[in-house]
PDB file of all heavy atoms in Angstrom:
ATOM      1  N   LYS A 491      10.167 -21.521  53.672  1.00 76.00           N
ATOM      2  CA  LYS A 491      10.455 -20.361  52.855  1.00 76.00           C
ATOM      3  C   LYS A 491       9.984 -20.614  51.431  1.00 76.00           C
ATOM      4  O   LYS A 491      10.005 -21.744  50.949  1.00 76.00           O
ATOM      5  CB  LYS A 491      11.959 -20.081  52.861  1.00 76.00           C
ATOM      6  CG  LYS A 491      12.491 -19.562  54.195  1.00 76.00           C
ATOM      7  CD  LYS A 491      13.965 -19.262  54.096  1.00 76.00           C
ATOM      8  CE  LYS A 491      14.488 -18.758  55.423  1.00 76.00           C
ATOM      9  NZ  LYS A 491      15.945 -18.508  55.366  1.00 76.00           N
ATOM     10  N   GLN A 520       6.191 -18.200  37.694  1.00 81.00           N
ATOM     11  CA  GLN A 520       6.189 -18.090  36.233  1.00 81.00           C
ATOM     12  C   GLN A 520       7.565 -17.884  35.615  1.00 81.00           C
ATOM     13  O   GLN A 520       7.825 -18.362  34.519  1.00 81.00           O
ATOM     14  CB  GLN A 520       5.272 -16.931  35.837  1.00 81.00           C
ATOM     15  CG  GLN A 520       3.832 -17.132  36.267  1.00 81.00           C
ATOM     16  CD  GLN A 520       2.956 -15.943  35.966  1.00 81.00           C
ATOM     17  OE1 GLN A 520       3.434 -14.818  35.844  1.00 81.00           O
ATOM     18  NE2 GLN A 520       1.672 -16.175  35.828  1.00 81.00           N
ATOM     19  N   SER A 521       8.414 -17.143  36.291  1.00 86.00           N
ATOM     20  CA  SER A 521       9.734 -16.848  35.727  1.00 86.00           C
ATOM     21  C   SER A 521      10.794 -17.166  36.770  1.00 86.00           C
ATOM     22  O   SER A 521      10.545 -17.048  37.969  1.00 86.00           O
ATOM     23  CB  SER A 521       9.843 -15.374  35.328  1.00 86.00           C
ATOM     24  OG  SER A 521       8.850 -15.011  34.407  1.00 86.00           O
ATOM     25  N   PHE A 523      15.145 -16.975  37.677  1.00 92.00           N
ATOM     26  CA  PHE A 523      16.400 -16.311  37.344  1.00 92.00           C
ATOM     27  C   PHE A 523      17.477 -16.686  38.343  1.00 92.00           C
ATOM     28  O   PHE A 523      17.196 -17.035  39.491  1.00 92.00           O
ATOM     29  CB  PHE A 523      16.237 -14.781  37.383  1.00 92.00           C
ATOM     30  CG  PHE A 523      15.083 -14.255  36.586  1.00 92.00           C
ATOM     31  CD1 PHE A 523      13.853 -14.025  37.188  1.00 92.00           C
ATOM     32  CD2 PHE A 523      15.220 -13.987  35.241  1.00 92.00           C
ATOM     33  CE1 PHE A 523      12.782 -13.542  36.460  1.00 92.00           C
ATOM     34  CE2 PHE A 523      14.152 -13.499  34.500  1.00 92.00           C
ATOM     35  CZ  PHE A 523      12.935 -13.277  35.114  1.00 92.00           C
ATOM     36  N   TYR A 525      20.607 -14.491  39.925  1.00 94.00           N
ATOM     37  CA  TYR A 525      21.273 -13.211  40.032  1.00 94.00           C
ATOM     38  C   TYR A 525      22.599 -13.429  40.753  1.00 94.00           C
ATOM     39  O   TYR A 525      22.738 -14.334  41.586  1.00 94.00           O
ATOM     40  CB  TYR A 525      20.441 -12.209  40.855  1.00 94.00           C
ATOM     41  CG  TYR A 525      19.380 -11.466  40.078  1.00 94.00           C
ATOM     42  CD1 TYR A 525      18.251 -12.123  39.603  1.00 94.00           C
ATOM     43  CD2 TYR A 525      19.494 -10.107  39.851  1.00 94.00           C
ATOM     44  CE1 TYR A 525      17.264 -11.430  38.909  1.00 94.00           C
ATOM     45  CE2 TYR A 525      18.512  -9.400  39.164  1.00 94.00           C
ATOM     46  CZ  TYR A 525      17.407 -10.073  38.701  1.00 94.00           C
ATOM     47  OH  TYR A 525      16.437  -9.380  38.014  1.00 94.00           O
ATOM     48  N   GLN A 527      25.412 -11.427  43.184  1.00 94.00           N
ATOM     49  CA  GLN A 527      25.601 -10.236  44.022  1.00 94.00           C
ATOM     50  C   GLN A 527      27.009 -10.255  44.602  1.00 94.00           C
ATOM     51  O   GLN A 527      27.367 -11.162  45.365  1.00 94.00           O
ATOM     52  CB  GLN A 527      24.567 -10.172  45.148  1.00 94.00           C
ATOM     53  CG  GLN A 527      24.642  -8.868  45.941  1.00 94.00           C
ATOM     54  CD  GLN A 527      23.510  -8.710  46.936  1.00 94.00           C
ATOM     55  OE1 GLN A 527      22.928  -9.680  47.408  1.00 94.00           O
ATOM     56  NE2 GLN A 527      23.175  -7.459  47.267  1.00 94.00           N
ATOM     57  N   ARG A 530      28.653  -6.096  49.013  1.00 86.00           N
ATOM     58  CA  ARG A 530      28.278  -4.691  49.185  1.00 86.00           C
ATOM     59  C   ARG A 530      27.848  -4.034  47.865  1.00 86.00           C
ATOM     60  O   ARG A 530      27.954  -2.812  47.703  1.00 86.00           O
ATOM     61  CB  ARG A 530      29.421  -3.912  49.828  1.00 86.00           C
ATOM     62  CG  ARG A 530      29.836  -4.486  51.169  1.00 86.00           C
ATOM     63  CD  ARG A 530      30.966  -3.690  51.789  1.00 86.00           C
ATOM     64  NE  ARG A 530      30.517  -2.375  52.269  1.00 86.00           N
ATOM     65  CZ  ARG A 530      29.865  -2.187  53.402  1.00 86.00           C
ATOM     66  NH1 ARG A 530      29.576  -3.203  54.184  1.00 86.00           N
ATOM     67  NH2 ARG A 530      29.517  -0.962  53.765  1.00 86.00           N
ATOM     68  N   LYS A 531      27.370  -4.856  46.936  1.00 92.00           N
ATOM     69  CA  LYS A 531      26.890  -4.335  45.657  1.00 92.00           C
ATOM     70  C   LYS A 531      25.443  -4.778  45.437  1.00 92.00           C
ATOM     71  O   LYS A 531      24.914  -5.590  46.189  1.00 92.00           O
ATOM     72  CB  LYS A 531      27.745  -4.858  44.506  1.00 92.00           C
ATOM     73  CG  LYS A 531      29.197  -4.455  44.569  1.00 92.00           C
ATOM     74  CD  LYS A 531      29.389  -3.013  44.194  1.00 92.00           C
ATOM     75  CE  LYS A 531      30.866  -2.674  44.066  1.00 92.00           C
ATOM     76  NZ  LYS A 531      31.066  -1.256  43.719  1.00 92.00           N
ATOM     77  N   GLU A 532      24.832  -4.222  44.376  1.00 94.00           N
ATOM     78  CA  GLU A 532      23.469  -4.616  44.075  1.00 94.00           C
ATOM     79  C   GLU A 532      23.432  -5.943  43.319  1.00 94.00           C
ATOM     80  O   GLU A 532      24.403  -6.300  42.646  1.00 94.00           O
ATOM     81  CB  GLU A 532      22.777  -3.525  43.232  1.00 94.00           C
ATOM     82  CG  GLU A 532      23.252  -3.415  41.787  1.00 94.00           C
ATOM     83  CD  GLU A 532      24.455  -2.507  41.636  1.00 94.00           C
ATOM     84  OE1 GLU A 532      25.189  -2.293  42.610  1.00 94.00           O
ATOM     85  OE2 GLU A 532      24.628  -2.021  40.504  1.00 94.00           O
ATOM     86  N   PRO A 533      22.310  -6.662  43.377  1.00 94.00           N
ATOM     87  CA  PRO A 533      22.165  -7.884  42.575  1.00 94.00           C
ATOM     88  C   PRO A 533      22.138  -7.540  41.089  1.00 94.00           C
ATOM     89  O   PRO A 533      21.562  -6.526  40.677  1.00 94.00           O
ATOM     90  CB  PRO A 533      20.804  -8.441  43.020  1.00 94.00           C
ATOM     91  CG  PRO A 533      20.487  -7.758  44.300  1.00 94.00           C
ATOM     92  CD  PRO A 533      21.128  -6.411  44.220  1.00 94.00           C
ATOM     93  N   LEU A 535      21.535  -9.462  37.166  1.00 91.00           N
ATOM     94  CA  LEU A 535      21.051 -10.659  36.497  1.00 91.00           C
ATOM     95  C   LEU A 535      22.225 -11.451  35.916  1.00 91.00           C
ATOM     96  O   LEU A 535      23.039 -10.910  35.164  1.00 91.00           O
ATOM     97  CB  LEU A 535      20.080 -10.283  35.385  1.00 91.00           C
ATOM     98  CG  LEU A 535      19.544 -11.451  34.566  1.00 91.00           C
ATOM     99  CD1 LEU A 535      18.637 -12.333  35.435  1.00 91.00           C
ATOM    100  CD2 LEU A 535      18.791 -10.949  33.341  1.00 91.00           C
ATOM    101  N   ALA A 583       2.439  -9.865  39.049  1.00 59.00           N
ATOM    102  CA  ALA A 583       2.849  -8.469  39.252  1.00 59.00           C
ATOM    103  C   ALA A 583       4.364  -8.304  39.188  1.00 59.00           C
ATOM    104  O   ALA A 583       4.908  -7.326  39.687  1.00 59.00           O
ATOM    105  CB  ALA A 583       2.331  -7.921  40.583  1.00 59.00           C
ATOM    106  N   SER A 584       5.017  -9.288  38.594  1.00 62.00           N
ATOM    107  CA  SER A 584       6.481  -9.257  38.489  1.00 62.00           C
ATOM    108  C   SER A 584       7.151  -9.033  39.825  1.00 62.00           C
ATOM    109  O   SER A 584       8.195  -8.409  39.915  1.00 62.00           O
ATOM    110  CB  SER A 584       6.921  -8.175  37.496  1.00 62.00           C
ATOM    111  OG  SER A 584       6.643  -8.579  36.193  1.00 62.00           O
ATOM    112  N   LYS A 585       6.534  -9.519  40.886  1.00 74.00           N
ATOM    113  CA  LYS A 585       7.169  -9.425  42.196  1.00 74.00           C
ATOM    114  C   LYS A 585       8.151 -10.582  42.337  1.00 74.00           C
ATOM    115  O   LYS A 585       7.786 -11.740  42.280  1.00 74.00           O
ATOM    116  CB  LYS A 585       6.107  -9.478  43.299  1.00 74.00           C
ATOM    117  CG  LYS A 585       5.307  -8.186  43.406  1.00 74.00           C
ATOM    118  CD  LYS A 585       4.476  -8.141  44.656  1.00 74.00           C
ATOM    119  CE  LYS A 585       3.254  -9.011  44.552  1.00 74.00           C
ATOM    120  NZ  LYS A 585       2.373  -8.866  45.739  1.00 74.00           N
ATOM    121  N   LEU A 586       9.415 -10.203  42.539  1.00 81.00           N
ATOM    122  CA  LEU A 586      10.445 -11.206  42.678  1.00 81.00           C
ATOM    123  C   LEU A 586      10.517 -11.711  44.104  1.00 81.00           C
ATOM    124  O   LEU A 586      10.450 -10.927  45.050  1.00 81.00           O
ATOM    125  CB  LEU A 586      11.804 -10.622  42.292  1.00 81.00           C
ATOM    126  CG  LEU A 586      12.195 -10.642  40.814  1.00 81.00           C
ATOM    127  CD1 LEU A 586      11.257  -9.800  40.002  1.00 81.00           C
ATOM    128  CD2 LEU A 586      13.628 -10.180  40.642  1.00 81.00           C
ATOM    129  N   PHE A 588      13.164 -13.722  46.460  1.00 90.00           N
ATOM    130  CA  PHE A 588      14.582 -14.068  46.466  1.00 90.00           C
ATOM    131  C   PHE A 588      14.874 -15.167  47.472  1.00 90.00           C
ATOM    132  O   PHE A 588      14.338 -15.178  48.579  1.00 90.00           O
ATOM    133  CB  PHE A 588      15.408 -12.846  46.855  1.00 90.00           C
ATOM    134  CG  PHE A 588      15.487 -11.788  45.810  1.00 90.00           C
ATOM    135  CD1 PHE A 588      14.450 -10.894  45.634  1.00 90.00           C
ATOM    136  CD2 PHE A 588      16.595 -11.687  44.995  1.00 90.00           C
ATOM    137  CE1 PHE A 588      14.504  -9.913  44.662  1.00 90.00           C
ATOM    138  CE2 PHE A 588      16.670 -10.704  44.024  1.00 90.00           C
ATOM    139  CZ  PHE A 588      15.620  -9.817  43.855  1.00 90.00           C
ATOM    140  N   GLY A 589      15.784 -16.055  47.087  1.00 90.00           N
ATOM    141  CA  GLY A 589      16.400 -16.919  48.075  1.00 90.00           C
ATOM    142  C   GLY A 589      17.424 -16.116  48.851  1.00 90.00           C
ATOM    143  O   GLY A 589      17.772 -14.993  48.470  1.00 90.00           O
ATOM    144  N   THR A 590      17.913 -16.682  49.930  1.00 89.00           N
ATOM    145  CA  THR A 590      18.881 -15.958  50.757  1.00 89.00           C
ATOM    146  C   THR A 590      20.279 -15.960  50.156  1.00 89.00           C
ATOM    147  O   THR A 590      21.150 -15.247  50.618  1.00 89.00           O
ATOM    148  CB  THR A 590      18.935 -16.538  52.172  1.00 89.00           C
ATOM    149  OG1 THR A 590      19.173 -17.945  52.084  1.00 89.00           O
ATOM    150  CG2 THR A 590      17.622 -16.307  52.898  1.00 89.00           C
TER     151      THR A 590
ATOM    152  N   TYR B1165      10.319  -0.660  42.414  1.00 94.00           N
ATOM    153  CA  TYR B1165      10.227  -1.475  43.624  1.00 94.00           C
ATOM    154  C   TYR B1165      11.221  -0.992  44.669  1.00 94.00           C
ATOM    155  O   TYR B1165      12.305  -0.516  44.318  1.00 94.00           O
ATOM    156  CB  TYR B1165      10.564  -2.941  43.300  1.00 94.00           C
ATOM    157  CG  TYR B1165       9.685  -3.561  42.232  1.00 94.00           C
ATOM    158  CD1 TYR B1165       9.879  -3.266  40.879  1.00 94.00           C
ATOM    159  CD2 TYR B1165       8.668  -4.446  42.577  1.00 94.00           C
ATOM    160  CE1 TYR B1165       9.071  -3.825  39.909  1.00 94.00           C
ATOM    161  CE2 TYR B1165       7.863  -5.013  41.603  1.00 94.00           C
ATOM    162  CZ  TYR B1165       8.062  -4.699  40.276  1.00 94.00           C
ATOM    163  OH  TYR B1165       7.265  -5.255  39.311  1.00 94.00           O
ATOM    164  N   TYR B1167      13.205  -2.666  48.048  1.00 96.00           N
ATOM    165  CA  TYR B1167      13.523  -3.864  48.827  1.00 96.00           C
ATOM    166  C   TYR B1167      14.434  -3.473  49.983  1.00 96.00           C
ATOM    167  O   TYR B1167      15.158  -2.489  49.925  1.00 96.00           O
ATOM    168  CB  TYR B1167      14.300  -4.880  47.989  1.00 96.00           C
ATOM    169  CG  TYR B1167      13.558  -5.485  46.826  1.00 96.00           C
ATOM    170  CD1 TYR B1167      13.587  -4.880  45.574  1.00 96.00           C
ATOM    171  CD2 TYR B1167      12.852  -6.675  46.971  1.00 96.00           C
ATOM    172  CE1 TYR B1167      12.925  -5.446  44.492  1.00 96.00           C
ATOM    173  CE2 TYR B1167      12.197  -7.247  45.889  1.00 96.00           C
ATOM    174  CZ  TYR B1167      12.243  -6.625  44.662  1.00 96.00           C
ATOM    175  OH  TYR B1167      11.582  -7.196  43.598  1.00 96.00           O
ATOM    176  N   GLN B1169      17.470  -5.527  52.398  1.00 94.00           N
ATOM    177  CA  GLN B1169      18.262  -6.748  52.484  1.00 94.00           C
ATOM    178  C   GLN B1169      18.931  -6.809  53.839  1.00 94.00           C
ATOM    179  O   GLN B1169      19.706  -5.919  54.200  1.00 94.00           O
ATOM    180  CB  GLN B1169      19.317  -6.809  51.370  1.00 94.00           C
ATOM    181  CG  GLN B1169      20.065  -8.144  51.347  1.00 94.00           C
ATOM    182  CD  GLN B1169      21.014  -8.259  50.168  1.00 94.00           C
ATOM    183  OE1 GLN B1169      21.592  -7.281  49.704  1.00 94.00           O
ATOM    184  NE2 GLN B1169      21.152  -9.470  49.628  1.00 94.00           N
ATOM    185  N   GLY B1172      21.011 -13.069  56.176  1.00 77.00           N
ATOM    186  CA  GLY B1172      20.254 -14.291  56.400  1.00 77.00           C
ATOM    187  C   GLY B1172      18.798 -14.225  55.996  1.00 77.00           C
ATOM    188  O   GLY B1172      18.069 -15.203  56.136  1.00 77.00           O
ATOM    189  N   LEU B1177      10.519  -7.450  49.723  1.00 93.00           N
ATOM    190  CA  LEU B1177       9.835  -6.347  49.068  1.00 93.00           C
ATOM    191  C   LEU B1177       9.105  -5.492  50.097  1.00 93.00           C
ATOM    192  O   LEU B1177       8.312  -6.003  50.892  1.00 93.00           O
ATOM    193  CB  LEU B1177       8.851  -6.892  48.028  1.00 93.00           C
ATOM    194  CG  LEU B1177       8.073  -5.871  47.223  1.00 93.00           C
ATOM    195  CD1 LEU B1177       9.012  -5.040  46.356  1.00 93.00           C
ATOM    196  CD2 LEU B1177       7.034  -6.577  46.351  1.00 93.00           C
ATOM    197  N   TYR B1180       5.861  -1.496  46.083  1.00 93.00           N
ATOM    198  CA  TYR B1180       6.124  -1.390  44.677  1.00 93.00           C
ATOM    199  C   TYR B1180       5.099  -0.473  44.019  1.00 93.00           C
ATOM    200  O   TYR B1180       4.038  -0.196  44.587  1.00 93.00           O
ATOM    201  CB  TYR B1180       6.158  -2.768  43.998  1.00 93.00           C
ATOM    202  CG  TYR B1180       4.828  -3.469  43.902  1.00 93.00           C
ATOM    203  CD1 TYR B1180       4.090  -3.467  42.727  1.00 93.00           C
ATOM    204  CD2 TYR B1180       4.330  -4.184  44.996  1.00 93.00           C
ATOM    205  CE1 TYR B1180       2.884  -4.135  42.635  1.00 93.00           C
ATOM    206  CE2 TYR B1180       3.121  -4.848  44.911  1.00 93.00           C
ATOM    207  CZ  TYR B1180       2.403  -4.835  43.729  1.00 93.00           C
ATOM    208  OH  TYR B1180       1.200  -5.493  43.650  1.00 93.00           O
ATOM    209  N   PHE B1222      17.435  -1.373  48.526  1.00 97.00           N
ATOM    210  CA  PHE B1222      17.636  -1.373  47.078  1.00 97.00           C
ATOM    211  C   PHE B1222      16.352  -0.964  46.379  1.00 97.00           C
ATOM    212  O   PHE B1222      15.267  -1.444  46.703  1.00 97.00           O
ATOM    213  CB  PHE B1222      18.036  -2.764  46.577  1.00 97.00           C
ATOM    214  CG  PHE B1222      19.422  -3.185  46.953  1.00 97.00           C
ATOM    215  CD1 PHE B1222      19.628  -4.091  47.989  1.00 97.00           C
ATOM    216  CD2 PHE B1222      20.523  -2.688  46.275  1.00 97.00           C
ATOM    217  CE1 PHE B1222      20.910  -4.485  48.345  1.00 97.00           C
ATOM    218  CE2 PHE B1222      21.804  -3.075  46.633  1.00 97.00           C
ATOM    219  CZ  PHE B1222      21.996  -3.977  47.664  1.00 97.00           C
ATOM    220  N   ARG B1229       5.556  -5.507  33.340  1.00 66.00           N
ATOM    221  CA  ARG B1229       5.297  -6.608  34.254  1.00 66.00           C
ATOM    222  C   ARG B1229       4.773  -7.813  33.473  1.00 66.00           C
ATOM    223  O   ARG B1229       3.615  -8.185  33.563  1.00 66.00           O
ATOM    224  CB  ARG B1229       4.309  -6.170  35.322  1.00 66.00           C
ATOM    225  CG  ARG B1229       4.879  -5.126  36.254  1.00 66.00           C
ATOM    226  CD  ARG B1229       3.801  -4.412  37.018  1.00 66.00           C
ATOM    227  NE  ARG B1229       2.962  -5.354  37.728  1.00 66.00           N
ATOM    228  CZ  ARG B1229       1.640  -5.251  37.794  1.00 66.00           C
ATOM    229  NH1 ARG B1229       1.020  -4.268  37.185  1.00 66.00           N
ATOM    230  NH2 ARG B1229       0.947  -6.129  38.472  1.00 66.00           N
ATOM    231  N   VAL B1230       5.686  -8.381  32.683  1.00 68.00           N
ATOM    232  CA  VAL B1230       5.317  -9.564  31.918  1.00 68.00           C
ATOM    233  C   VAL B1230       6.302 -10.674  32.230  1.00 68.00           C
ATOM    234  O   VAL B1230       7.416 -10.426  32.690  1.00 68.00           O
ATOM    235  CB  VAL B1230       5.303  -9.264  30.402  1.00 68.00           C
ATOM    236  CG1 VAL B1230       4.241  -8.222  30.093  1.00 68.00           C
ATOM    237  CG2 VAL B1230       6.671  -8.802  29.924  1.00 68.00           C
ATOM    238  N   VAL B1231       5.884 -11.892  31.944  1.00 64.00           N
ATOM    239  CA  VAL B1231       6.725 -13.050  32.235  1.00 64.00           C
ATOM    240  C   VAL B1231       8.049 -12.915  31.493  1.00 64.00           C
ATOM    241  O   VAL B1231       8.088 -12.627  30.306  1.00 64.00           O
ATOM    242  CB  VAL B1231       5.992 -14.346  31.810  1.00 64.00           C
ATOM    243  CG1 VAL B1231       6.916 -15.545  31.960  1.00 64.00           C
ATOM    244  CG2 VAL B1231       4.746 -14.545  32.652  1.00 64.00           C
ATOM    245  N   GLY B1232       9.116 -13.150  32.211  1.00 67.00           N
ATOM    246  CA  GLY B1232      10.440 -13.127  31.610  1.00 67.00           C
ATOM    247  C   GLY B1232      11.190 -11.834  31.772  1.00 67.00           C
ATOM    248  O   GLY B1232      12.420 -11.820  31.655  1.00 67.00           O
ATOM    249  N   GLU B1233      10.492 -10.743  32.017  1.00 74.00           N
ATOM    250  CA  GLU B1233      11.182  -9.461  32.216  1.00 74.00           C
ATOM    251  C   GLU B1233      11.931  -9.495  33.544  1.00 74.00           C
ATOM    252  O   GLU B1233      11.471 -10.065  34.518  1.00 74.00           O
ATOM    253  CB  GLU B1233      10.174  -8.315  32.231  1.00 74.00           C
ATOM    254  CG  GLU B1233       9.665  -7.921  30.859  1.00 74.00           C
ATOM    255  CD  GLU B1233      10.674  -7.108  30.067  1.00 74.00           C
ATOM    256  OE1 GLU B1233      11.587  -6.524  30.680  1.00 74.00           O
ATOM    257  OE2 GLU B1233      10.538  -7.062  28.843  1.00 74.00           O
ATOM    258  N   THR B1234      13.095  -8.849  33.565  1.00 79.00           N
ATOM    259  CA  THR B1234      13.894  -8.843  34.783  1.00 79.00           C
ATOM    260  C   THR B1234      14.001  -7.436  35.343  1.00 79.00           C
ATOM    261  O   THR B1234      13.810  -6.450  34.634  1.00 79.00           O
ATOM    262  CB  THR B1234      15.306  -9.374  34.520  1.00 79.00           C
ATOM    263  OG1 THR B1234      15.934  -8.529  33.539  1.00 79.00           O
ATOM    264  CG2 THR B1234      15.269 -10.782  33.981  1.00 79.00           C
ATOM    265  N   GLN B1235      14.313  -7.379  36.616  1.00 85.00           N
ATOM    266  CA  GLN B1235      14.453  -6.114  37.298  1.00 85.00           C
ATOM    267  C   GLN B1235      15.906  -5.663  37.296  1.00 85.00           C
ATOM    268  O   GLN B1235      16.827  -6.476  37.359  1.00 85.00           O
ATOM    269  CB  GLN B1235      13.950  -6.226  38.731  1.00 85.00           C
ATOM    270  CG  GLN B1235      12.450  -6.457  38.827  1.00 85.00           C
ATOM    271  CD  GLN B1235      11.940  -6.437  40.246  1.00 85.00           C
ATOM    272  OE1 GLN B1235      12.680  -6.283  41.203  1.00 85.00           O
ATOM    273  NE2 GLN B1235      10.634  -6.602  40.387  1.00 85.00           N
ATOM    274  N   PHE B1237      18.585  -3.167  39.342  1.00 95.00           N
ATOM    275  CA  PHE B1237      18.719  -2.635  40.685  1.00 95.00           C
ATOM    276  C   PHE B1237      19.628  -1.414  40.737  1.00 95.00           C
ATOM    277  O   PHE B1237      20.594  -1.308  39.974  1.00 95.00           O
ATOM    278  CB  PHE B1237      19.295  -3.707  41.623  1.00 95.00           C
ATOM    279  CG  PHE B1237      18.301  -4.773  41.987  1.00 95.00           C
ATOM    280  CD1 PHE B1237      18.045  -5.817  41.120  1.00 95.00           C
ATOM    281  CD2 PHE B1237      17.611  -4.709  43.187  1.00 95.00           C
ATOM    282  CE1 PHE B1237      17.114  -6.791  41.441  1.00 95.00           C
ATOM    283  CE2 PHE B1237      16.678  -5.675  43.525  1.00 95.00           C
ATOM    284  CZ  PHE B1237      16.428  -6.721  42.652  1.00 95.00           C
ATOM    285  N   GLY B1238      19.313  -0.526  41.663  1.00 96.00           N
ATOM    286  CA  GLY B1238      20.216   0.560  41.999  1.00 96.00           C
ATOM    287  C   GLY B1238      21.318   0.073  42.904  1.00 96.00           C
ATOM    288  O   GLY B1238      21.288  -1.065  43.375  1.00 96.00           O
ATOM    289  N   PRO B1239      22.307   0.930  43.209  1.00 96.00           N
ATOM    290  CA  PRO B1239      23.479   0.515  43.989  1.00 96.00           C
ATOM    291  C   PRO B1239      23.219   0.358  45.473  1.00 96.00           C
ATOM    292  O   PRO B1239      24.069  -0.167  46.193  1.00 96.00           O
ATOM    293  CB  PRO B1239      24.485   1.641  43.743  1.00 96.00           C
ATOM    294  CG  PRO B1239      23.628   2.828  43.443  1.00 96.00           C
ATOM    295  CD  PRO B1239      22.441   2.306  42.720  1.00 96.00           C
ATOM    296  N   ARG B1242      22.800   2.296  52.354  1.00 96.00           N
ATOM    297  CA  ARG B1242      23.080   1.634  53.632  1.00 96.00           C
ATOM    298  C   ARG B1242      22.631   2.540  54.768  1.00 96.00           C
ATOM    299  O   ARG B1242      23.149   3.646  54.895  1.00 96.00           O
ATOM    300  CB  ARG B1242      24.559   1.302  53.736  1.00 96.00           C
ATOM    301  CG  ARG B1242      24.909   0.100  52.886  1.00 96.00           C
ATOM    302  CD  ARG B1242      26.367  -0.111  52.625  1.00 96.00           C
ATOM    303  NE  ARG B1242      26.572  -1.325  51.853  1.00 96.00           N
ATOM    304  CZ  ARG B1242      26.295  -1.455  50.563  1.00 96.00           C
ATOM    305  NH1 ARG B1242      25.852  -0.432  49.875  1.00 96.00           N
ATOM    306  NH2 ARG B1242      26.471  -2.595  49.957  1.00 96.00           N
TER     307      ARG B1242
END
Side-chain angles (χ1 to χ4, degrees):
Chain A
K491 290 182 180 178
Q520 299 176 336
S521 302
F523 309 94
Y525 276 70
Q527 186 172 26
R530 302 180 72 79
K531 298 285 188 181
E532 72 273 23
L535 178 67
S584 287
K585 286 192 284 185
L586 274 63
F588 288 80
T590 53
Chain B
Y1165 302 77
Y1167 295 89
Q1169 186 175 33
L1177 181 64
Y1180 70 100
F1222 289 103
R1229 293 163 55 222
V1230 297
V1231 174
E1233 283 284 340
T1234 60
Q1235 293 185 358
F1237 286 81
R1242 284 165 177 74

